[in-house]
Amino acid sequence: MATDAETRAEARLDALLDPAHTALVTCECQNGVLGPDAVFPELAAAARKTDLVGQIRGLSAAARRAGVPVLHCTALRRPDGRGANTNARLFAAAARVAAAKPGAALAPGSEAAGLHPGIGADPAVDLVLPRLHGLGPFQDTGLAPVLRNLGARTLVCVGVSLNVALLELAFGAVDAGFQVVLPRDAVAGTPPDYAEAVLTHTLALVATVTVAERVVRRWSGSGS
């Protein structure tokens, strides 16, 4: 039998996930990030261990059935690097990989930059917000006003990575006044034990951590 505290927590999560004011936001779920020719293979491998792509596909389908907007935030880098940051080791590492593995480069219009087919994106209804700069999808990308125009107050954030981009997304969303829900089996980072520590000791302080199946049940109308 659930305790009073557990019952209250479940009720709060149900309220947060109300389809009337929720959006699903995917982060960098692209061929060149999660596919076989990933920029950072260790990250792609970590995502495969939890079937991250399959979890996001299920969440996306449930979101559309419930009328929840689905937004895909993607990272791009022009072949000439124009508009891209150069002020962190991460950017330099990504540029080196792109030079060595052109098939993994996230050039606009390339296969690598496209959304991973396994997540089940629907171009007829989903929104895609690309960026050329920064560590994550929130700052100066237009994401916040688009979400507000859609009536969203809670963001279910999924994708990669718990090392950088998802941290920026979660912190930016909270700073902007949004509630954040993180399904732990629909996010990934590397190494996996570090990703788990970030979820437990950092992101759980600012977001509600749950599992994808719990979100799907709520959007399917069956609650807890």
Side-chain angles (χ1 to χ4, degrees):
M1 180 178 293
T3 66
D4 288 345
E6 290 170 337
T7 299
R8 288 194 299 271
E10 286 293 300
R12 180 177 180 275
L13 182 55
D14 278 344
L16 285 176
L17 293 172
D18 185 337
H21 57 69
T22 304
L24 176 66
V25 180
T26 78
C27 183
E28 300 184 9
C29 294
Q30 299 164 253
N31 289 314
V33 179
L34 299 175
D37 294 321
V39 175
F40 298 115
E42 297 85 358
L43 178 60
R48 287 194 294 271
K49 286 183 179 180
T50 61
D51 188 26
L52 177 143
V53 167
Q55 299 288 6
I56 293 175
R57 182 172 61 250
L59 284 162
S60 298
R64 294 188 201 97
R65 289 193 299 268
V68 172
V70 180
L71 299 89
H72 305 284
C73 297
T74 61
L76 304 179
R77 181 183 174 86
R78 287 168 49 114
D80 60 10
R82 294 189 71 184
N85 288 65
T86 59
N87 57 330
R89 290 173 57 197
L90 175 64
F91 304 130
R96 286 195 300 271
V97 172
K101 296 171 57 179
L106 303 177
S110 68
E111 182 178 354
L115 293 169
H116 192 291
I119 67 171
D122 186 342
V125 294
D126 296 358
L127 297 173
V128 179
L129 280 75
R131 75 180 198 277
L132 286 171
H133 71 285
L135 292 169
F138 207 89
Q139 183 174 331
D140 295 335
T141 61
L143 177 58
V146 169
L147 289 165
R148 292 195 179 98
N149 289 343
L150 292 168
R153 298 199 299 272
T154 298
L155 312 184
V156 177
C157 300
V158 298
V160 294
S161 76
L162 290 169
N163 299 78
V164 178
L166 274 171
L167 289 175
E168 193 272 352
L169 174 57
F171 290 153
V174 171
D175 279 343
F178 295 96
Q179 294 277 355
V180 175
V181 174
L182 290 167
R184 66 188 316 123
D185 48 353
V187 296
T190 186
D193 56 346
Y194 169 79
E196 183 62 31
V198 169
L199 275 171
T200 302
H201 300 294
T202 299
L203 288 170
L205 301 177
V206 299
T208 300
V209 179
T210 185
V211 293
E213 193 251 346
R214 177 65 179 82
V215 179
V216 169
R217 286 206 315 268
R218 175 63 177 88
W219 288 346
S220 300
S222 57
S224 59

